[in-house]
């Protein structure tokens, strides 16, 4: 860096000399360098964000479509037991259907593997709903299994040598035959939102995780919001300034910085170990998240209460309002937008929190959405973790899609918080 | 300071409303008020004057126990209103403050409607039984504060939408609405322009017929204009207390004289 | 039944409100001058009924399950559980519970069926008892509350007293949480140290927690030394900081000093987005994009980059920390008084010289505090490393190698079924305890530095 101190000697400085000009140019160059370095640091940060979003979108967008095959199923007597529609030989029925569809196919099991494992249940459900179909034909659009889904989306390279490829030549040929007949389509993947988890990527969906996260966040909100506001009001408006309130304050600040996994350990030892609550329960997850969110809400609420000018408090006290009336009639309503903003941001953090939920077992494999907050389930972030760990190729894009769904919720929550802040927050 | 306009006033012999004896106030380590004895008369405007930090506002806030809300403040001594010790354990500061209204330095209307501002006090104290009674209270209070004619058509507008002078009169109406017996005013005109100040001063003179008014002011002209009795505070001491005319024309204490002639303060 | 209990207690509270309110109103209509408004009399009754009854129901719900379990197991035919491990006992309990829930697998022994019946009976009894006692308690409180209504009863003070008590309780929740954390960590860690000597844990250099699964190897020597795990944590933390600190600081300097207001208005929120991305997303990003990129880079250059290299997790963690560091640095730079900046500029210093020679040194304490908080975050960060770092503990400081971290081990040891008596599970709590102590120490230090620094300029 250039020397800042002016020369103290008696020698006068010639500011017009070449030397002086050179010095100034050098210093300006140093400034430009710093600017450039700073700008490139920001560019690096932006690039990382861009890369993150790009890799999620580029892998995830395809999971929003699912390849389907339209098949005509004839509910022939040989497969269907009329008295026991629920347990008939639908697998055999599908094999027969597919043998008919694919010219030259001999191995029914092999061609039926084009269809998702769930196809037999779709076929079953159709006839259970309408038993008069027995002996007649119905048209169904069923999802294909994961490898064929990948093939249709162009993720399997046909030029790879056959032994290294997941689909052999005859399998590709059979699928191409279906394509040639115009039976293959890829509509929006409603199953991604409407189904619960499954071992088969083409059937796996986020319904269970969404409900699990909803119940956990609901529990978290119902506990953390009133408790947080109560604590903040007490500490900000009523607590005498002494060692006890100092201690509580330090405690809350430190709690806000405790690693989330430690809260998971707490939940595991206390809620599951000592109180005997169940594993994988959204209610317990919400309880844990509430403890983590509490410091955020308390700190935000105290800031919002502090921002209400003391003149309002004096005015209310002056007409004889009690201190609680001052707070509940005047200060709290004025602070509410700030409190809600802080709460929503806290809940958004809680929605993305994973580690504590893993420790209380919310990474269980549950194939049904929870009906109450006390049924085992996953949550959105733990579902992402499970899918990211799954070996099937189809789960990669589903993980990205699930992340996009999660980010979508986070964006909505933060947008709501920003809206509340801009719309209702009062400047004094 | 020869142009002080001393209004012609008839000092009637009103009864003592407030009696204070040996009042001491500490804020933490700071001894803010030292041994103040004062008798404030009913139906009279009493002005507290003195340089900044002399304790006049502190004393005013003792009279409705607003100092209770400052954690570090300790009040000692004996303050009685109508013979009742207001620092007695059995006295509820909340009810005391309904009886001793207060108007603050800066207009501080609640960010609610004009109506709700005035109705708030009667509501929390349960002074009215129905809407009609409440309407009547609001109207009388606004009339007393000389604001009714300006706002009667827009009672649902926000109190903060009024001008500064109107806001301060709204605050006076709010204080009057609980039918207080004493009205404390802490530099009520310091945030107002001259015209609004004149309106508020006129109002204060009107209010005298119903309340005992205590006003803290920085402006000696104002004290001279509105008050019948004046107390001069200096460095936490009550230096001199008496009829306003006497204080301004014939101060007994040299400190009072220096202050009103502009040498200290 | 639980729903009935809650409905009961809330309706009792409402009833109390209405009863006392109308009693107060009729007193007032009779000409009495009431100390408090009628709604306070009502509110007092509602709270007086609600708070104790609610507490009662919650406590009952919390404690009924463990008590019923214990009673069921105690009622088993004597000798059934002799010589069984706790894990096996838990299995039996789980089976009895599932039989009671109507899910019968195979043909269970008769005593299990009997125990299931017993369990069902106990549960029904508990539910009935809870509702009955709730009703009785609510009734008693209603009567007590109704009796308080009198002209000079200070219902406002009573109501506000209860509310204040509730608020005090709320503010102690944070303390109870801290106590809960410390108690559970210390308690389980002590049990761990009964199986593995504490000096082996603290100073051991081998971490092989999977070994003691076999009964004859419980507490095998040297298997639970936490040093390599902690070293791995440090390696990843250092990688993250080496990336995040310069990027974060330089961004802050640019935004604070050189950026136009418009650019700043856009760039700051965009940087904040990086802070709002859930860590599980960063973890997936590391696995999906960064790790393969590093691997192919390794293949290109011939560097020995391990598949789960610490670089991948560290880099991504660095990305996560950028906004954290930059916002702290931004705050610290903005907090430097204007006079210092003006003084330097008035001497003819360029903006760059002002920042580097005047503002930056003055902001150092705040920045150091921020960086320390970032360190504590990096040490405690879980999902990124769980997904992107390795599982095997090695005594290495090579960031290209695969390392494991404290949080990875905690999660790996506790995912799946956990029983609270194997050293494997308890080791996770010991690691958690160390993690808590280390991060708490760093946080306290950082907050202390930040606070001290603020005082200087305030």
């Amino acid at each position: 860096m250039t020397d800042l101190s002016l020369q103290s000697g008696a020698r006068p400085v010639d500011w017009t000399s070449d030397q002086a000009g050179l010095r100034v140019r050098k210093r300006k160059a140093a400034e430009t360098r710093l600017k450039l370095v700073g700008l490139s640091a920001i560019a690096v940060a932006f690039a990382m964000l861009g890369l993150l979003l790009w890799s999620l979108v580029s892998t995830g967008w395809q999971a929003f479509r699912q390849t389907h095959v339209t098949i005509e199923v004839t509910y022939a007597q040989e497969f269907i037991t009329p008295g026991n529609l629920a347990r008939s030989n639908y697998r055999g029925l599908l094999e027969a259907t597919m043998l008919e569809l694919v010219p030259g196919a001999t191995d029914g099991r092999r061609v039926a593997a084009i269809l998702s494992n769930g196809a037999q249940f779709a076929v079953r459900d159709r006839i259970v709903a309408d038993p008069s179909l027995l002996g007649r034909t119905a048209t169904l659009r069923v999802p294909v299994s994961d490898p064929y889904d990948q093939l249709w989306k162009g993720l399997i390279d046909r030029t790879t040598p056959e032994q290294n490829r997941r689909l052999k030549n005859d399998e590709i040929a059979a699928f191409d035959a279906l394509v040639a007949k115009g039976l293959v389509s890829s509509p929006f993947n409603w199953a991604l939102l409407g189904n619960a988890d499954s071992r088969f990527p083409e059937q796996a969906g986020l319904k269970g995780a969404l409900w699990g996260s909803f119940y956990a966040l609901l529990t978290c909100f119902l506990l953390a919001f009133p408790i947080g506001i109560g604590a903040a009001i007490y500490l900000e408006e009523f607590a005498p300034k002494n060692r006890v309130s100092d201690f509580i304050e330090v405690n809350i600040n430190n709690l806000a910085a405790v690693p989330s996994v430690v809260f998971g350990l707490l939940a595991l030892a206390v809620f599951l170990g000592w109180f005997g609550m169940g594993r994988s329960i959204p209610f317990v997850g919400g309880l844990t998240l509430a403890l983590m969110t509490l410091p955020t809400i308390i700190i935000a609420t105290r800031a919002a209460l502090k921002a209400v000018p003391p003149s309002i408090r004096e005015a209310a006290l002056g007409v004889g309002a009690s201190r609680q009336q001052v707070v509940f009639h005047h200060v709290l309503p004025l602070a509410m937008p700030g409190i809600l903003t802080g709460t929503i941001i806290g809940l958004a953090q809680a929605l993305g929190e994973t580690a504590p939920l893993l420790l209380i077992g919310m990474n269980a494999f549950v194939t049904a959405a929870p009906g109450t907050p006390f049924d085992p389930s996953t949550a959105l972030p733990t579902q992402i973790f499970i899918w990211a760990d799954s070996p099937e190729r189809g789960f990669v894009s589903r993980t990205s899609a699930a992340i996009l769904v999660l980010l979508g919720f986070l964006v909505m929550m933060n947008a709501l918080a920003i809206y509340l802040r801009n719309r209702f927050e009062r400047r004094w | 300071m020869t142009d002080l306009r001393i209004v012609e006033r008839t000092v009637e012999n009103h009864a003592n409303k407030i009696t204070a004896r040996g009042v001491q106030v500490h804020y933490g380590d700071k001894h803010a008020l030292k041994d103040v004895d004062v008798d404030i008369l009913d139906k009279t405007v009493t002005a507290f004057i003195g340089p900044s930090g002399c304790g006049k506002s502190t004393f005013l806030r003792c009279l409705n126990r607003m100092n209770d809300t400052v954690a570090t403040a300790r009040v000692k001594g004996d303050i009685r209103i109508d013979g009742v010790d207001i620092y007695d354990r059995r006295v509820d500061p909340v009810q005391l403050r309904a009886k001793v209204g207060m108007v603050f330095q800066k207009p501080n209307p609640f960010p609610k409607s004009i109506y709700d501002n005035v109705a708030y006090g009667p509501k929390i104290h349960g002074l009215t039984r129905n809407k009609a009674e409440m309407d009547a209270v609001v109207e009388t209070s606004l009339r007393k504060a000389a604001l009714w004619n300006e706002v009667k058509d827009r009672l649902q507008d926000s109190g903060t939408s009024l001008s500064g002078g109107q806001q301060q009169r709204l605050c006076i109406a709010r204080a009057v609405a609980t039918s207080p017996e004493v009205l404390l005013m802490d530099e009520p005109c310091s945030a107002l322009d001259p015209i609004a100040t004149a309106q508020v001063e006129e109002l204060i003179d009107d209010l005298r017929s119903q309340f005992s008014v205590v006003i803290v002011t920085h402006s000696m002209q104002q004290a001279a204009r509105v008050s019948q009795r004046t107390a001069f505070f200096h460095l936490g001491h009550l230096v001199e207390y008496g009829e306003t005319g006497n204080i301004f024309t014939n101060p007994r204490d040299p400190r009072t004289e220096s202050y009103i002639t502009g040498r200290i303060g | 039944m639980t729903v009935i209990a809650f409905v009961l207690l809330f309706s009792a509270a409402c009833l109390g409100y209405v009863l006392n309110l109308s009693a107060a109103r009729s007193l007032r209509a009779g000409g009495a001058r009431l100390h408090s408004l009628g709604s306070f009399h009502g509110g007092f009754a509602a709270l007086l009924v609600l708070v104790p009854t609610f507490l009662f129901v919650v406590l009952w719900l919390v404690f009924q399950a463990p008590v019923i379990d214990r009673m069921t197991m105690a009622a088993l035919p004597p000798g059934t559980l002799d010589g069984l491990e706790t894990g096996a006992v838990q299995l039996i309990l789980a089976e009895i519970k599932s039989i009671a829930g109507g899910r019968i697998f195979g043909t269970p022994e008769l005593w299990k069926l009997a125990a299931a019946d017993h369990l069902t009976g106990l549960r029904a009894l508990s539910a009935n008892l809870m509702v009955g006692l709730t009703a009785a308690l609510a009734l008693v409180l209603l009567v007590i509350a109704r009796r308080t209504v009198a002209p000079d009863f200070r219902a406002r003070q009573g109501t506000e007293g209860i509310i204040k008590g509730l608020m005090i309780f709320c503010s102690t929740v944070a303390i109870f949480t801290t106590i809960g954390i410390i108690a559970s960590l210390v308690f389980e860690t002590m049990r761990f140290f009964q199986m593995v000597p504490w000096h082996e844990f603290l100073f051991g250099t081998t971490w092989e927690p999977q070994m003691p699964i076999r009964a004859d190897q419980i507490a095998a020597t040297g298997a639970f030394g936490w040093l390599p795990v902690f070293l791995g944590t440090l390696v990843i933390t250092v990688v993250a900081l080496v990336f995040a600190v310069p990027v974060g600081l330089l961004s802050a300097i640019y935004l604070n000093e050189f950026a136009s207001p418009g650019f700043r208005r856009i760039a700051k929120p965009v940087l904040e987005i990086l802070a709002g991305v859930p860590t599980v997303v960063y973890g997936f990003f590391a696995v999906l994009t960064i790790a393969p990129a590093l691997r192919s880079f390794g293949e290109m250059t011939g560097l020995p980059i391990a598949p789960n290299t610490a670089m991948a997790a560290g880099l991504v963690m660095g990305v996560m920390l950028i906004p954290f560091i930059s916002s702290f640095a931004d705050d610290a730079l903005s907090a430097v008084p204007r006079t210092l900046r003006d003084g330097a500029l008035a001497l003819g210093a360029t903006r760059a010289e002002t920042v580097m020679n005047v503002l930056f040194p003055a902001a150092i304490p705040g920045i150091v505090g921020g960086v320390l908080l970032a360190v504590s975050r990096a040490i405690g960060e879980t999902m990124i490393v769980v997904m992107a770092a390795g599982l095997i503990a090695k005594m290495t400081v090579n960031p290209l190698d695969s390392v494991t971290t404290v949080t990875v081990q905690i999660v790996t040891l506790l995912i799946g079924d956990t029983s609270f008596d194997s050293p494997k599970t308890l080791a996770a709590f010991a690691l958690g305890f160390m993690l808590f102590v280390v991060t708490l120490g760093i946080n306290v230090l950082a907050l202390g530095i930040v606070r001290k620094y603020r005082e200087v300029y305030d």
Side-chain angles (χ1 to χ4, degrees), chain A residues 2 27 31 251 257 279 322 324, chain C residues 160 178 348 350-353 416:
Chain A
T2 330
R27 291 169 58 202
E31 169 151 318
N251 196 311
R279 285 179 70 82
S322 72
Q324 286 194 13
Chain C
E160 293 189 344
T178 311
T350 63
R351 294 195 78 102
E353 287 158 354

Side-chain angles (χ1 to χ4, degrees), chain B residues 78-114:
Chain B
D78 185 62
I79 301 177
R80 286 171 188 275
I81 295 184
D82 291 335
V84 179
D85 180 1
I86 62 169
Y87 280 87
D88 189 284
R89 277 180 178 283
R90 279 162 302 179
V91 169
D92 185 352
V94 161
Q95 286 184 328
L96 172 72
R97 288 178 202 141
K99 219 167 106 175
V100 183
M102 184 157 195
V103 177
F104 297 85
Q105 190 167 358
K106 259 173 62 183
N108 52 357
F110 301 128
K112 301 184 177 196
S113 72
I114 294 171

Side-chain angles (χ1 to χ4, degrees), chain C residues 57-406:
Chain C
V57 173
V58 168
L59 286 179
W60 188 283
L61 287 176
V62 166
F63 287 109
Q64 72 168 357
V67 170
I68 290 178
D69 286 356
R70 213 149 287 169
M71 285 169 75
T72 310
M73 296 316 270
L76 289 180
T80 344
L81 302 177
D82 287 354
L84 285 179
E85 304 247 333
T86 36
V89 173
Q90 277 176 2
L91 269 182
I92 290 174
L93 181 60
E95 194 180 346
I96 292 173
K97 276 184 181 169
S98 72
I99 294 172
R103 296 181 302 277
I104 305 178
F105 304 102
T107 43
E109 293 90 332
L110 277 179
W111 59 267
K112 280 186 186 163
L113 289 175
D117 280 346
H118 186 54
L119 178 70
T120 318
L122 282 177
R123 279 184 180 162
L125 178 68
S126 162
N128 288 329
L129 212 56
M130 178 177 75
V131 171
L133 287 176
T134 307
L137 185 61
L139 198 66
V140 170
L141 290 168
L142 269 178
V143 172
I144 294 176
R146 177 61 188 77
R147 287 194 164 181
T148 59
V149 182
D152 54 353
F153 175 62
R154 301 189 158 203
R156 182 176 62 72
Q157 276 85 342
T159 313
E160 293 189 344
I162 297 179
I163 293 179
K164 189 168 175 183
L166 286 177
M167 291 196 297
I168 292 179
F169 167 76
C170 289
S171 31
T172 53
V173 168
I175 294 189
F176 284 126
T177 310
T178 311
I179 293 176
I181 289 175
I182 295 175
S184 57
L185 291 180
V186 168
F187 180 70
E188 308 292 351
T189 307
M190 295 309 280
R191 284 175 61 192
F192 174 68
F193 286 152
Q194 282 165 11
M195 300 182 195
V196 177
W198 62 270
H199 50 87
E200 282 187 20
F201 175 72
L202 278 185
F203 304 115
T205 54
T206 325
W207 177 264
E208 283 165 16
Q210 303 303 339
M211 276 174 60
I213 284 175
R214 297 215 312 274
D216 54 340
Q217 275 188 331
I218 279 187
T221 33
F224 283 104
W226 87 307
L227 283 181
V229 184
F230 187 60
L231 191 65
T233 306
L234 288 185
V235 169
I236 291 187
T237 304
V238 168
V239 172
L241 288 176
V242 163
F243 178 65
V245 170
V247 174
L249 284 188
L250 288 167
S251 316
I253 288 176
Y254 184 82
L255 287 177
N256 201 291
E257 282 303 307
F258 301 115
S260 67
F263 183 74
R264 193 180 147 90
R265 206 167 46 237
I266 293 174
K268 268 193 78 114
V270 174
L271 275 184
E272 298 294 324
I273 292 178
L274 283 175
V277 173
T279 54
V280 67
V281 178
Y282 279 118
F284 186 61
F285 176 55
V287 179
L288 181 73
T289 312
I290 301 297
L294 285 174
R295 253 201 311 279
S296 47
F297 177 73
E299 279 161 17
M300 251 162 44
T301 55
L303 279 173
I305 295 184
N308 291 326
T309 166
M311 286 292 282
L315 268 180
V316 172
M317 201 186 276
V319 174
M320 180 191 85
L321 294 177
I322 289 172
F324 201 72
I325 291 178
S326 88
S327 76
F328 254 92
D330 197 11
D331 288 351
L333 285 173
S334 304
V336 177
R338 244 213 110 64
T339 47
L340 268 183
R341 181 189 314 248
D342 290 349
L345 289 174
L347 275 178
T350 63
R351 294 195 78 102
E353 287 158 354
T354 313
V355 178
M356 298 311 287
N357 301 342
V358 179
L359 301 186
F360 197 71
I364 280 279
I367 292 172
V368 168
V371 170
L372 277 178
L373 285 178
V375 169
S376 123
R377 238 193 209 202
I379 291 178
E381 171 45 44
T382 310
M383 289 321 293
I384 296 178
V385 282
V386 165
M387 295 171 83
L391 287 176
I392 311 294
K394 283 185 211 156
M395 283 299 272
T396 176
V397 290
N398 177 6
L400 301 179
D401 210 343
S402 161
V403 297
T404 190
T405 75
V406 174

Side-chain angles (χ1 to χ4, degrees), chain B residues 113-157:
Chain B
S113 72
I114 294 171
Y115 184 95
D116 287 345
N117 260 286
V118 182
Y120 182 70
K123 197 175 87 196
I124 57 169
H125 293 294
L127 302 180
T128 56
R129 276 151 205 266
N130 51 45
K131 178 87 170 72
E133 279 186 28
M134 183 62 86
D135 289 347
V137 168
V138 170
E139 179 174 343
T140 359
S141 309
L142 284 169
R143 277 186 195 284
K144 280 183 190 163
L147 191 61
W148 174 251
N149 288 329
E150 291 160 63
V151 300
K152 65 180 174 214
D153 300 323
R154 48 179 184 133
L155 290 176
Q156 294 312 317
D157 285 11

Side-chain angles (χ1 to χ4, degrees), chain A residues 156-172:
Chain A
I156 291 182
D157 189 356
R158 288 166 188 254
T159 58
T160 320
E162 189 176 10
Q163 66 271 21
N164 296 341
R165 210 185 312 130
R166 284 173 70 201
L167 292 176
K168 306 306 168 200
N169 287 340
D170 62 322
E171 291 172 320
I172 293 183

Side-chain angles (χ1 to χ4, degrees), chain A residues 1-4 6 24 27-28 30-32 34-46 48-49 51-56 59 226-235 238 244 247-248 250-270 272-277 279 291-292 294-295 298 321-325 328 348-349 351-355 358-359 361 363 380-382 384-385 387-389 395-397 399-400 403 406-407 410 414, chain C residues 37 40 62-63 65-66 69 97 156 159-161 163-164 167-185 187-188 243 246-248 250-255 258 263 266-268 270-271 273-274 276-282 284-285 287-290 315 319 322 344 347-353 355-358 373 376-377 379-383 386-387 407 410-411 414-418 420 425 428-429 431-433 435-436 439-440 443-444 447 451:
Chain A
M1 277 293 121
T2 330
D3 196 357
L4 260 184
L6 295 173
V24 168
R27 291 169 58 202
K28 293 271 187 215
E31 169 151 318
T32 315
L34 185 66
K35 263 191 196 175
L36 282 179
V37 172
L39 204 54
S40 46
I42 295 179
V44 166
F46 281 15
M48 287 316 244
L49 180 63
L51 186 62
L52 171 70
L53 291 178
W54 177 79
S55 48
L56 291 176
T59 54
I227 294 181
I229 290 185
I233 290 179
Y234 180 72
L235 293 174
F238 295 100
V244 178
F247 175 70
I248 295 179
V250 169
N251 196 311
I252 289 171
N253 287 339
N254 278 320
L255 210 53
V258 168
S260 62
V261 70
V262 172
F263 282 94
L265 289 172
L266 166 78
L268 182 59
V270 175
L272 269 56
W274 296 351
F275 291 158
M277 296 182 184
R279 285 179 70 82
L291 295 181
M292 297 182 53
L294 202 55
I298 293 179
S322 72
R323 291 184 48 187
Q324 286 194 13
Q325 285 172 329
F328 290 112
Q349 280 169 7
L351 177 60
E353 204 51 73
T354 321
L358 286 185
L359 295 197
N363 57 335
L380 213 38
T382 49
I384 290 168
F385 176 69
W387 284 358
D389 252 14
F395 275 120
V396 173
S397 69
T399 311
S400 295
I403 288 176
L406 173 64
L407 291 181
L410 293 181
N414 282 296
Chain C
L37 290 179
F40 279 115
V62 166
F63 287 109
D69 286 356
K97 276 184 181 169
R156 182 176 62 72
T159 313
E160 293 189 344
I163 293 179
K164 189 168 175 183
M167 291 196 297
I168 292 179
F169 167 76
C170 289
S171 31
T172 53
V173 168
I175 294 189
F176 284 126
T177 310
T178 311
I179 293 176
I181 289 175
I182 295 175
S184 57
L185 291 180
F187 180 70
E188 308 292 351
F243 178 65
V247 174
L250 288 167
S251 316
I253 288 176
Y254 184 82
L255 287 177
F258 301 115
F263 183 74
I266 293 174
K268 268 193 78 114
V270 174
L271 275 184
I273 292 178
L274 283 175
V277 173
T279 54
V280 67
V281 178
Y282 279 118
F284 186 61
F285 176 55
V287 179
L288 181 73
T289 312
I290 301 297
L315 268 180
V319 174
I322 289 172
L347 275 178
T350 63
R351 294 195 78 102
E353 287 158 354
V355 178
M356 298 311 287
N357 301 342
V358 179
L373 285 178
S376 123
R377 238 193 209 202
I379 291 178
E381 171 45 44
T382 310
M383 289 321 293
V386 165
M387 295 171 83
T407 49
I410 292 175
V411 171
L414 291 181
I415 272 190
D417 284 326
T418 42
F420 276 93
T425 308
F429 281 90
L431 284 179
F433 181 66
L435 178 68
F436 180 73
T439 51
L440 184 71
N443 289 339
V444 168
L447 290 176
R451 191 173 308 145

